[in-house]
Amino acid sequence: MTPPTILQTSQVETFNISAKKAQTVKFTSDAKDGKVNFADWENFKFAPIRESQVAREMGRRYFQDLDKYAESDVVVIGGGSAGFSAAYTLAKNRPDLKIAIIEASVSPGGGCWLGGQLFSAMVLRKPADLFLDDLGLEYEDQGNYVVVKHAALFMSTLMSKTLALPNVKLFNATAVEDLITRRDEAGNISIAGVVTNWAHLDHDNQSCMDPNTINANVVLSACGHDGPFGSFSAKRSKSIFPQDEVKFGGMRGLDMNKAEDAIVKGSREVYPGLVFAGMELAEIDGSNRMGPTFGAMVLSGVKAAQETLNIYDYRKEQNEKIYGGLEFK
Ligand code: AHZ
């Protein structure tokens, strides 16, 4: 076999030099002297750093966030299109509330990085275009529906707008393993937070790996439809609220027209302190799936956020009563 040809440095340089044409790269960001010029590559140098500085900047902030969000106002489970739309709406409308998003995957976004069958464009039926306007996202108007040129453009914009809000913290690579429950004097159970763990722990080789907890006045679950990860809270609720009539109808077949209205209208507090949004709700209500049209995921998040705010003060008061009026910050 002929060995691969390895170019000598001089050959690479010769090639580059013959292909080069001087170009100016412009940045208008935080220029100190009126211009940013990375192009002086000969004299290019990063400012110095010690490795421990990097380690401490990351570690300190993460542990400060764990401390701050151990008492969250609302926990959103699942960072897909419904979960992020809900978190964005909540955090924007109530800057006084601390919103934690718990996402099992390292890469948040759920099933919303592509349209259907791995195609790029994303279809949203009106009136979901109003949400896109709020995000400042461009789309093609096709009458009854709009098209965003790439689902990833939608998801990354929604994510960046949400994560830039000062009252939101995303804990990704973190799974909700259970729900915190409370029983009031009358014996009624409500949800008062989540039980978490690193998502990538190898539970199979350890006898016990105790989890961590986050208290919250309302939990908003948007874990997606059933599958290896999906519909976690819906499944767990079956044994937490066994006295309730079983609310786990199982998602029905695809019907875009029926499915989208049903999911948005049905987004609500299903169990005390536990609001559902997105496709997890289809599993509870036994409603249809809609496949690759995303208006319902977005507006289900908006409706679920509104339902959360409607019950928030009541659930907070109830939570504090259980602790004899103690307030938690
Ligand atoms: O990783 C999951 C995903 O990002 C995350 N998740 C699930 N269980 C979790 C747990 N702890 C933390 N126990 C968890 N995170 O929840 C996210 C769900 O996102 P998704 O995009 O799957 O759900 P969605 O309801 O926001 O959007 C669903 C969109 C549709 S509709 C549809 C169809 O009709 O066929 N298919 C999809 C994917």
Side-chain angles (χ1 to χ4, degrees), residues 78 80-82 102-104 110-111 176 222-225 229 278-279 289-291 297:
S81 44
I102 313 295
E103 168 52 53
V176 170
C223 286
H225 59 64
F229 291 108
M279 288 312 287
R289 71 193 300 178
M290 72 291 297
M297 291 304 102

Side-chain angles (χ1 to χ4, degrees), residues 132-153:
L132 304 184
D133 292 341
D134 197 72
L135 291 177
L137 206 61
E138 285 190 12
Y139 50 79
E140 280 172 54
D141 194 327
Q142 299 288 5
N144 284 341
Y145 61 91
V146 299
V147 185
V148 178
K149 73 172 180 176
H150 205 299
L153 175 63

Side-chain angles (χ1 to χ4, degrees), residues 77-83 102-105 107-112 174-177 222-225 229-232 251 254 277-280 289-294 297:
I77 315 176
S81 44
I102 313 295
E103 168 52 53
S105 173
S107 2
C112 197
T174 305
V176 170
E177 290 193 345
C223 286
H225 59 64
F229 291 108
S231 107
F232 170 80
M251 181 177 74
L254 192 151
M279 288 312 287
E280 191 168 15
R289 71 193 300 178
M290 72 291 297
T293 168
F294 283 83
M297 291 304 102

Side-chain angles (χ1 to χ4, degrees), residues 61-75:
R61 280 170 175 74
Y62 197 82
F63 286 100
Q64 277 168 352
D65 282 337
L66 276 181
D67 181 279
K68 181 172 168 188
Y69 285 87
E71 273 295 341
S72 294
D73 293 309
V74 180
V75 164

Side-chain angles (χ1 to χ4, degrees), residues 29 33 54 70 103 106 118 133 186 189 200 206 249 253 310 312 317:
S29 56
D33 54 358
V54 179
E103 168 52 53
V106 172
L118 310 187
D133 292 341
I189 294 177
H200 300 279
Q206 299 287 328
N310 290 345
Y312 182 78
E317 201 180 303

